[in-house]
Amino acid sequence: MAALHNHSSLRQSSHPLLFVLQKSNTRQDEPRLGRLSLLNRVPMDTPHYVAASSRGAVPHLSQDMMRENTNIRAMYTALEDFIEKASHQDQTPPIFNFPAAPHESPLRKFIALQKSALLILGPRRIPPLPCPASSTDSAISIVTSLGFGMLEYTDYVEAIQKLRPDIVLGIGDVLFGHKPGVKRIDKMGDRTLAWVKELVDGMKDEENGMPRPALFAPILPIEAERQSYYLDALQDELVDSVDGLVLYDTASIDAIPKTLWHLPRLSLGEMNSPHKLLDAIARGIDIFTIPFITETTDAGIALGFSFPATKAPDVDTPLPLGVDMWAPTHAKCLSPLRSDCLCYTCTNHHQAFIQHLLNAKEMLGWVLLQLHNHHIVDNFFAGVRQSIQNGSFEDERTSFEKTYTVELPEKTGQGPRVRGYQYKSEKSEQRKNPPAYRSLDDRKEKLVEAAVLSPSADANDFEQQGFAEKAE
Ligand SMILES: [Zn+2]
């Protein structure tokens, strides 16, 4: 790591969050190595990822499991996950009343996040669900667990002051799910600037010996000319207050002014495969949120790629990026998910057990897959960093693209139950996971019908009456 500091382009910041690049960019877009550090947190070497949480927890993982069996260095949380009761006039969301010492973050305590991990707070979940309402000049639409609502930017500032995360994301006036019209684009820069300024003003002072949270400002997913007024302000009056940048789209790298190239770049963009990650790393993104880790876990898929690829590419039969553990072929397999994997799951359990757990809809199945999938992604990023260090990233990236299939495997099995705020409902879509138990009234009718079956009725007759499922 000595080399990291020799060529450092040390950033002068009023904030204790430090981002050191191994060498300054010579081009706008090129892969880069960096280290993000903050007092009392384990430094994060970049490129790396940030674990995306749902209501303050990485899905399927308890806090002790996350601490002991993953290398998660930073966690992203969304304010919309915690303010579901704010719509009622007289109720304060519980998180704002959570007891914490003056020097502690009530949010970190509320979700029991380990001290060593960076805590990031943004307004929306990742990936965000589209909202029917549009933003206004003073608020964005959000989805809470109780339904749609509006988040006033003044309330966001107040929440940040109370919750004290390590890093806070500025609110960008960004549409999710559809493209903005011309009129809207004109407003996006102005609104975002006003909201970022409000956040800077609201966080100015050190409180109770705690420094203000570091601020990552949005770069909007529109052309640089359309947000030039905002970008000028970032370089000028806001330059001492902005500690990093948030991108919704890798292409937005083109819009980053040269004077801000040294800032860490966090992507909230749609990264649905390792290939997309490699493209974005090649263009100079440092930190990622990756929804596909939990999505593959929910689908019962064990990720199975490594960077650099360990096998020579075979164009005719590219390797899959993961294995569907629902496939019956695993039922008698006593090998780990991957023979070269050293994760908790692979060192303790075999494929047949994982498949049994999925079939039994036992939660432990998804827990073990989630541990393995995070481990695969941890190793992927470690490989990427080593490869950039060695100067072989471009060649190894080309080779990786030829070695593996483009898409993650299809989802075949049924995942764990999901709630409304976790997925987009499509018209005429069947319920995602029908409940295992029906209402008693429904069952009563079935009982009446079943009563007319003759004593000689067999299991099939009962099953047809909806009475019970026949054991195979
Ligand atoms: Zn494993």
Side-chain angles (χ1 to χ4, degrees), residues 1-11 19-35 46 261-263 265 284 286 385 387-393:
M1 270 300 131
L4 195 68
H5 299 289
N6 289 343
H7 308 282
S8 65
S9 60
L10 199 65
R11 160 166 162 60
F19 184 62
V20 179
L21 276 173
Q22 192 178 70
K23 52 180 189 208
S24 305
N25 282 49
T26 48
R27 294 199 330 258
Q28 186 145 17
D29 54 346
E30 60 186 351
R32 38 194 232 166
L33 285 175
R35 173 173 277 195
T46 62
W261 283 3
H262 60 282
L263 294 176
R265 302 162 179 174
D286 304 303
R385 290 192 299 270
S387 165
I388 299 174
Q389 181 80 48
N390 297 346
S392 51
F393 178 72

Side-chain angles (χ1 to χ4, degrees), residues 15-19 35-46 48-53 56 58 66 71-77 105 107-108 111-121 164-168 212-216 243 264 266 287:
H15 189 273
L17 184 85
L18 201 64
F19 184 62
R35 173 173 277 195
L36 190 69
S37 42
L38 182 67
L39 192 67
N40 299 328
R41 311 278 177 257
V42 175
M44 179 163 78
D45 289 327
T46 62
H48 213 320
Y49 72 99
V50 164
S53 70
V58 175
M66 185 176 107
N71 277 324
I72 291 170
R73 294 267 193 268
M75 187 148 96
Y76 177 86
T77 50
S105 154
L107 174 61
R108 181 180 293 270
I111 64 177
L113 179 66
Q114 67 221 50
K115 275 216 174 89
S116 61
L118 274 169
L119 174 58
I120 304 174
L121 181 67
R164 316 290 295 182
D166 294 329
I167 297 175
V168 55
R212 67 165 174 85
L215 171 64
F216 278 33
D243 307 280
L266 165 67
I287 311 163

Side-chain angles (χ1 to χ4, degrees), residues 325 327-334 351-353 355-356 359:
M325 290 310 297
T329 45
H330 308 297
K332 291 181 181 164
C333 178
L334 300 182
Q351 295 182 18
F353 181 56
Q355 214 225 10
H356 160 72
N359 273 321

Side-chain angles (χ1 to χ4, degrees), residues 85-386:
K85 282 186 178 156
S87 54
H88 302 285
Q89 293 282 318
D90 52 344
Q91 275 183 310
T92 307
I95 193 161
F96 294 125
N97 292 327
F98 198 70
H103 64 280
E104 287 177 326
S105 154
L107 174 61
R108 181 180 293 270
K109 275 199 92 179
F110 190 76
I111 64 177
L113 179 66
Q114 67 221 50
K115 275 216 174 89
S116 61
L118 274 169
L119 174 58
I120 304 174
L121 181 67
R124 304 284 325 267
R125 289 171 66 89
I126 292 174
L129 294 178
C131 299
S134 196
S135 341
T136 67
D137 284 343
S138 68
I140 55 163
S141 48
I142 55 170
V143 188
T144 72
S145 66
L146 294 182
F148 298 110
M150 297 301 284
L151 174 65
E152 295 284 335
Y153 69 80
T154 46
D155 290 342
Y156 186 62
V157 175
E158 211 175 302
I160 301 297
Q161 286 166 341
K162 284 186 182 149
L163 301 179
R164 316 290 295 182
D166 294 329
I167 297 175
V168 55
L169 308 192
I171 304 182
D173 185 29
V174 177
L175 285 173
F176 298 103
H178 50 105
K179 280 206 150 71
V182 181
K183 272 191 177 167
R184 175 63 185 267
I185 287 178
D186 287 340
K187 283 184 189 167
M188 287 168 70
D190 292 347
R191 281 178 177 170
T192 304
L193 176 58
W195 298 344
V196 169
K197 274 185 178 171
E198 189 74 20
L199 200 50
V200 168
D201 287 344
M203 301 197 305
K204 241 170 203 164
D205 305 321
E206 225 177 64
E207 270 179 42
N208 305 315
M210 274 185 95
R212 67 165 174 85
L215 171 64
F216 278 33
I219 297 290
L220 298 169
I222 53 177
E223 289 153 30
E225 306 87 73
R226 310 303 292 269
Q227 53 180 325
S228 58
Y229 185 64
Y230 166 59
L231 296 174
D232 288 348
L234 285 185
Q235 300 179 77
D236 188 11
E237 57 187 301
L238 295 172
V239 71
D240 290 331
S241 310
V242 172
D243 307 280
L245 301 172
V246 187
L247 291 90
Y248 302 86
D249 181 350
T250 306
S252 303
I253 281 193
D254 296 338
I256 302 176
K258 193 168 183 179
T259 51
L260 303 179
W261 283 3
H262 60 282
L263 294 176
R265 302 162 179 174
L266 165 67
S267 163
L268 303 186
E270 193 72 5
M271 296 291 154
N272 52 14
S273 72
H275 302 289
K276 283 264 170 67
L277 288 172
L278 291 173
D279 287 347
I281 291 166
R283 300 210 57 195
I285 302 271
D286 304 303
I287 311 163
F288 296 87
T289 52
I290 312 178
F292 78 71
I293 307 179
T294 295
E295 281 166 15
T296 46
T297 297
D298 285 352
I301 290 167
L303 292 176
F305 53 85
S306 50
F307 189 90
T310 42
K311 280 190 184 153
D314 177 349
V315 188
D316 298 327
T317 50
L319 295 174
L321 290 166
V323 177
D324 178 9
M325 290 310 297
W326 285 94
T329 45
H330 308 297
K332 291 181 181 164
C333 178
L334 300 182
S335 309
L337 294 172
R338 245 177 101 87
S339 56
D340 57 352
C341 184
L342 298 175
C343 80
Y344 173 86
T345 307
C346 291
T347 47
N348 288 283
H349 300 290
H350 47 64
Q351 295 182 18
F353 181 56
I354 308 282
Q355 214 225 10
H356 160 72
L357 293 172
L358 288 176
N359 273 321
K361 301 197 176 56
E362 175 53 62
M363 288 191 297
L364 180 61
W366 290 293
V367 172
L368 294 175
L369 280 173
Q370 186 74 314
L371 287 175
H372 167 82
N373 287 345
H374 275 84
H375 191 80
I376 292 288
V377 176
D378 275 331
N379 284 352
F380 171 82
F381 276 100
V384 163
R385 290 192 299 270
Q386 190 59 54

